[in-house]
Amino acid sequence: VVDVSAPPQVAGALASDRDIQHERLTLLAELLDPGTLRLLDALGVQAGMRCLALGPGCAAVAGWLCRRVGPGGSVLATGLETTAPARLEHHNLEIREQDLLAYPLPECVFDLVHARVLLASLPDPRAGLLRIFASLKPGGRVLLEEMDFVSVAPDPSLGTDTRRLLARVIGAQNTALPGFDPQYGRRLAGELVTAGLVSTGCEGRASVWQGGRTGGRVWQLTLLQQRDALITAGLLTREDIDTVLELCENPRLRLISPITMAAWGHWRAPAKPRLSTLARA
Ligand SMILES: C[S@@+](CC[C@H](N)C(=O)[O-])C[C@H]1O[C@@H](n2cnc3c(N)ncnc32)[C@H](O)[C@@H]1O
């Protein structure tokens, strides 16, 4: 899939970290939502279901779930930040701003749990998974999606120096965040199987991100968010980062995006997910 979306506005000063995060999550959703909604549809999300939208980001998926489950169903949107779902006007939407690892989720209540780009950044992704699985009712299903950075590689038409710089920047980004696992996408499907979920499956989605378009802008915003940490850690210089931030606006920049690895499965009643197996594995 090639990123053929309309070029976003890339010029202009960025007002705050909050604005950067808002724009980044909105554009990320633009890139990823079509695949997510297709998979949710295939998993059989229906009227009357009770769903959990975990880490809702810009809340487009939470809104879609509210419409799909209708007045007889409900959606709980919960995450560290819930400004976007709070703007939605759905009577069947409940919002809780809370840390997945600090506060338990309701147990045995959800027909469906969806989370995307969340677990890989948790200090203990398995603890998060255990809470997700425990929140499922018998017969409940999960769709979890996490990135794997194995695919990220620039177009060979870029010069050698540029490719080397990009490789350094990507490597630094993948090591700079404490606890972040850039290979988590490939682990996800196995975690579901280990926990004993059934009818499991997985699928990866990647595209070519281009400078000056949505993918390039997502990367630019991510790098802007990480800039100070990368410089303070001594991983990159200000000049390295400024060069790449500029490249992100140049249509000559093309690189394979991270793979968004989706994994799904059901908890077949009456067997419980083997949470203890996962905890010990
Ligand atoms: C990178 S954003 C992804 C947003 C959205 N899922 C998407 O893919 O567009 C990460 C999301 O996970 C949530 N999040 C991160 N850590 C969390 C935690 N410990 N507990 C609950 N939510 C968390 C954030 O609030 C945010 O909504």
Side-chain angles (χ1 to χ4, degrees):
V1 181
V2 176
D3 174 8
V4 291
S5 48
Q9 291 296 317
V10 291
L14 289 154
S16 69
D17 289 349
R18 206 182 174 83
D19 288 343
I20 295 175
Q21 178 71 344
H22 172 74
E23 187 185 349
R24 189 174 78 89
L25 293 186
T26 303
L27 296 178
L28 193 66
E30 209 174 281
L31 292 171
L32 302 184
D33 279 3
T36 297
L37 299 185
R38 174 174 55 78
L39 292 170
L40 284 172
D41 201 31
L43 265 182
V45 183
Q46 292 163 9
M49 281 187 164
R50 200 163 172 192
C51 300
L52 173 63
L54 193 55
C58 79
V61 171
W64 183 90
L65 287 171
C66 287
R67 290 189 293 279
R68 177 56 74 93
V69 302
S74 64
V75 177
L76 171 63
T78 176
L80 292 182
E81 220 271 327
T82 55
T83 316
R87 283 199 212 100
L88 297 177
E89 291 181 358
H90 291 288
H91 295 301
N92 58 357
L93 175 65
E94 188 195 338
I95 294 163
R96 285 190 209 165
E97 196 159 289
Q98 64 182 45
D99 185 331
L100 170 65
L101 297 184
Y103 298 95
L105 294 168
E107 294 201 359
C108 285
V109 293
F110 296 111
D111 298 293
L112 172 99
V113 178
H114 174 252
R116 190 176 71 194
V117 199
L118 188 162
L119 291 164
S121 303
L122 293 180
D124 185 353
R126 277 198 169 153
L129 270 179
L130 293 175
R131 292 201 163 173
I132 290 173
F133 294 149
S135 78
L136 289 175
K137 306 176 168 159
R141 57 207 82 179
V142 289
L143 174 63
L144 305 176
E145 304 180 90
E146 292 295 329
M147 289 190 170
D148 194 306
F149 285 75
V150 66
S151 52
V152 179
D155 188 313
S157 69
L158 293 162
T160 311
D161 289 349
T162 304
R163 281 188 281 128
R164 281 203 186 118
L165 172 64
L166 292 173
R168 262 193 320 116
V169 170
I170 293 159
Q173 285 182 290
N174 284 343
T175 51
L177 287 180
F180 171 67
D181 181 355
Q183 303 184 336
Y184 191 72
R186 75 193 71 171
R187 298 185 202 280
L188 199 52
E191 297 285 73
L192 269 55
V193 173
T194 305
L197 270 67
V198 296
S199 306
T200 53
C202 66
E203 174 190 296
R205 316 195 292 283
S207 63
V208 173
W209 284 359
Q210 187 179 4
R213 291 186 177 267
T214 307
R217 180 62 168 166
V218 167
W219 192 27
Q220 187 184 48
L221 293 166
T222 308
L223 193 53
L224 268 175
Q225 286 181 314
Q226 298 171 342
R227 173 160 57 181
D228 292 347
L230 292 166
I231 294 169
T232 308
L235 293 166
L236 296 170
T237 64
R238 194 167 293 279
E239 195 192 348
D240 292 332
I241 295 180
D242 287 347
T243 305
V244 175
L245 287 174
E246 211 176 301
L247 256 178
C248 287
E249 300 186 10
N250 184 339
R252 282 191 53 242
L253 174 74
R254 287 174 183 272
L255 78 171
I256 304 176
S257 73
I259 298 170
T260 302
M261 192 61 77
W264 56 87
H266 287 231
W267 168 14
R268 188 171 54 202
K272 282 200 157 196
R274 292 194 300 269
L275 303 179
S276 52
T277 316
L278 186 58
R280 282 198 308 270

